[in-house]
Amino acid sequence: MKTSDKILQMLKTRGALTAKVIATELGLTTMAVRQHLQSLEESRDLVYEDRKATRGRPTRYWALTPQSNSHFSDRHEELTVQLIDSVKTIFGDGALEQLITHREQATYTLYSQALANVDGLQAKLNILAKLRTEEGYMATIEQHQELYFLLENHCPICAAATSCLNFCRSELQLFQSLFTAEANITREEHIIEGARRCAYKIVPIAG
């Protein structure tokens, strides 16, 4: 993987970072990293923000632009949106809802089979994150005291979800159905609404 791609990957999964942090993570000099950052800024993949420091000069943080999504999996966005529009035009909204429901049910079956012989909520969540990552969502699990968070740093169906928000509703319902007896799940951050990632809060049900 090229250095510029590694930088994009880091910013995608971790949010805004300084050149110093990136350099440390990649084992490069700060000067070398700055050259890559400037190049990515020129290609409009990155922007920076100077944040006030406790003392001394402001600290520069680098972050991705919407244009940078072209470097990540898009699942043939244009074709997907065209197909959604065609289904709605030819068969109506009801037919599109049936397709979304069918997708949700098929995914539920797939995930349920993968989780069937796994014990413990955290272990199941780790398997779910692995499945989602394989599908292009760049998913991770974080634990904060008694809570868990499923973090999805990329949305490979973003164009479809933007065209039809029911895809997002369906995914939330899918997670809720998978863990209905073990946890309550809510969406706290949403890419479609301008967030950097989708974040799902998972609150274990006391047993």
Side-chain angles (χ1 to χ4, degrees), residues 5-177:
D5 291 334
K6 291 180 181 178
I7 292 173
L8 291 171
Q9 185 89 0
M10 285 181 63
L11 294 174
K12 187 70 171 175
T13 57
R14 295 174 57 178
L17 297 171
T18 65
K20 183 177 180 180
V21 170
I22 295 171
T24 300
E25 292 282 342
L26 298 181
L28 300 172
T29 65
T30 303
M31 182 177 295
V33 166
R34 285 199 180 103
Q35 291 176 346
H36 287 287
L37 292 172
Q38 289 171 358
S39 177
L40 289 167
E41 181 194 14
E42 291 172 1
S43 63
R44 299 182 180 179
D45 291 309
L46 297 185
V47 292
Y48 64 82
E49 176 188 8
D50 290 330
R51 300 180 186 177
K52 187 176 180 180
T54 305
R55 63 173 88 173
R57 300 193 311 179
T59 303
R60 179 160 295 182
Y61 284 80
W62 295 85
L64 300 177
T65 65
Q67 181 170 308
S68 69
N69 281 331
S70 62
H71 295 277
F72 303 95
S73 174
D74 63 9
R75 295 284 182 93
H76 309 293
E77 291 187 354
E78 185 177 351
L79 176 60
T80 300
V81 173
Q82 289 175 348
L83 287 173
I84 289 172
D85 289 340
S86 295
V87 169
K88 287 193 290 188
T89 299
I90 298 173
F91 302 107
D93 290 336
L96 180 59
E97 184 61 28
Q98 288 181 345
L99 287 174
I100 293 172
T101 299
H102 175 75
R103 174 179 179 270
E104 180 182 334
Q105 292 172 344
T107 305
Y108 177 84
T109 299
L110 175 66
Y111 289 2
S112 294
Q113 291 172 348
L115 300 176
N117 298 316
V118 180
D119 294 324
L121 177 60
Q122 184 171 3
K124 290 182 178 180
L125 291 173
N126 289 335
I127 295 295
L128 175 62
K130 181 176 182 294
L131 292 170
R132 299 292 284 179
T133 294
E134 290 172 353
E135 294 174 9
Y137 289 88
M138 298 174 68
T140 59
I141 297 296
E142 288 187 4
Q143 183 175 3
H144 297 271
Q145 296 180 341
E146 301 300 320
L147 306 179
Y148 295 94
F149 286 88
L150 169 64
L151 306 176
E152 296 185 338
N153 294 287
H154 182 59
C155 179
I157 63 164
C158 192
T162 301
S163 177
C164 179
L165 294 178
N166 282 347
F167 278 105
C168 293
R169 173 194 54 75
S170 174
E171 297 207 327
L172 177 58
Q173 287 184 178
L174 168 64
F175 297 149
Q176 291 171 335
S177 297

